[in-house]
Amino acid sequence: MSSKSISGESGTGRAGDKVFSGIAVTAGCLILFVLFCVAVFLMWQALPTFMADPADISGGGFGQYILPLVIGTVIAAIIALLIATPVGIGVALFISHYAPRRLAQGLGYLVDLLAAIPSVVYGAWGMTVLAPALVAPYSWLAENAGWIPIFAGPASQTGKTMLTAGIVLSVMVLPIITSLTREIFLQTPKLHEEAALAMGATRWEMIRMAVFPFARPGVVSAVMLGLGRALGETMAVALVLSSGGLIASLIRPGNQTIAAEIALNFPEAFGLRLSELIAAGLVLFLITLAVNVIARWIISRHKEFSGAN
């Protein structure tokens, strides 16, 4: 091959690199621009709420209005993560290190399929199947564990409670946590695993010493992505939760989330009420942004201690 042809191919390669680099930079800047536009729109539309007389705001002031919604949103997300995180990590570990190859592939496809189910389907399932099935367990909890505030009765006779919403949300975020965690587990360097096994470690000891340290930042990222999904979910929560005032009990009707509040009231809202809902959306936007910032901080703090190094 002549030097002229080589230089020609090299020039073409440089041009292709420049084009690809320009596209990547443009895409990244576009994401930041869209995020900035969303923030500006929410702040502009929510401004009348912050300037209005507190007596004209629902609840007697925006703080009194939004605080129960924020607490309800956080409670539902925490319930979902408490259920989905250990289950998701366990399923991911089984698929990546314990299941036979054929079974692992089938389970992987099944988990990915769960992520494609629309949220309204989960909500319909929770409303028609899960909620009625939980009425009896809720009554039992109210009778035998009612001295615990979160299980104080009387229990809901429809099953549409905050605990039911949290369980439905856990099923919805489970595919996200499982899929991402599984891929991180599979990326563990084989030399690390083989070295641990060669030194006499059992499979569980190998996983604890080699897989978990390597996968820690990725698992945190997966959990935080699941948290973002749980914080912003609307229809599923709206279908399985009998909304009401803020209460400590998780098995009684009551509580509400920001996303469900917006979904249920936005179609009929106008004027100051519409501004209130957009202001609530701004608060949810800030909460989600804070969650992502905290997640990045946790990952950067623990990354240097992971097995990836």
Side-chain angles (χ1 to χ4, degrees), residues 292-303:
N292 283 276
V293 170
I294 294 173
R296 297 305 306 174
W297 176 75
I298 294 175
I299 293 171
S300 63
R301 183 181 180 186
H302 292 283
K303 190 175 184 179

Side-chain angles (χ1 to χ4, degrees), residues 17-34:
D17 288 342
K18 291 181 179 179
V19 171
F20 180 78
S21 176
I23 294 174
V25 172
T26 302
C29 294
L30 181 61
I31 292 175
L32 294 177
F33 177 73
V34 171

Side-chain angles (χ1 to χ4, degrees), residues 216-305:
R216 185 186 300 130
V219 172
V220 173
S221 299
V223 173
M224 289 303 176
L225 283 175
L227 176 59
R229 172 76 185 274
L231 288 173
E233 183 50 49
T234 55
M235 292 309 301
V237 177
L239 290 173
V240 300
L241 178 62
S242 295
S243 61
L246 180 65
I247 57 175
S249 178
L250 301 179
I251 61 174
R252 292 170 54 189
N255 297 316
Q256 180 65 298
T257 66
I258 296 177
E261 172 78 3
I262 296 173
L264 292 174
N265 295 281
F266 197 86
E268 301 177 355
F270 62 92
L272 187 58
R273 178 57 175 158
L274 180 62
S275 179
E276 290 178 10
L277 296 177
I278 295 178
L282 175 62
V283 173
L284 182 60
F285 177 84
L286 295 176
I287 292 175
T288 306
L289 183 63
V291 166
N292 283 276
V293 170
I294 294 173
R296 297 305 306 174
W297 176 75
I298 294 175
I299 293 171
S300 63
R301 183 181 180 186
H302 292 283
K303 190 175 184 179
E304 59 179 316
F305 303 108

Side-chain angles (χ1 to χ4, degrees), residues 92-93 95-97 108 112 176-188 214-215 218:
L93 191 62
I95 293 175
S96 61
H97 285 82
D112 294 338
I176 299 175
I177 298 176
T178 302
S179 297
L180 295 178
T181 305
R182 178 193 66 200
E183 296 301 324
I184 296 297
F185 286 164
L186 291 174
Q187 292 176 13
T188 305
F214 175 85

Side-chain angles (χ1 to χ4, degrees), residues 93 97-98 196 202-213:
L93 191 62
H97 285 82
Y98 285 94
T202 63
R203 180 176 295 185
W204 168 245
E205 291 173 337
M206 176 272 293
I207 291 172
R208 185 166 52 86
M209 292 186 297
V211 177
F212 284 164

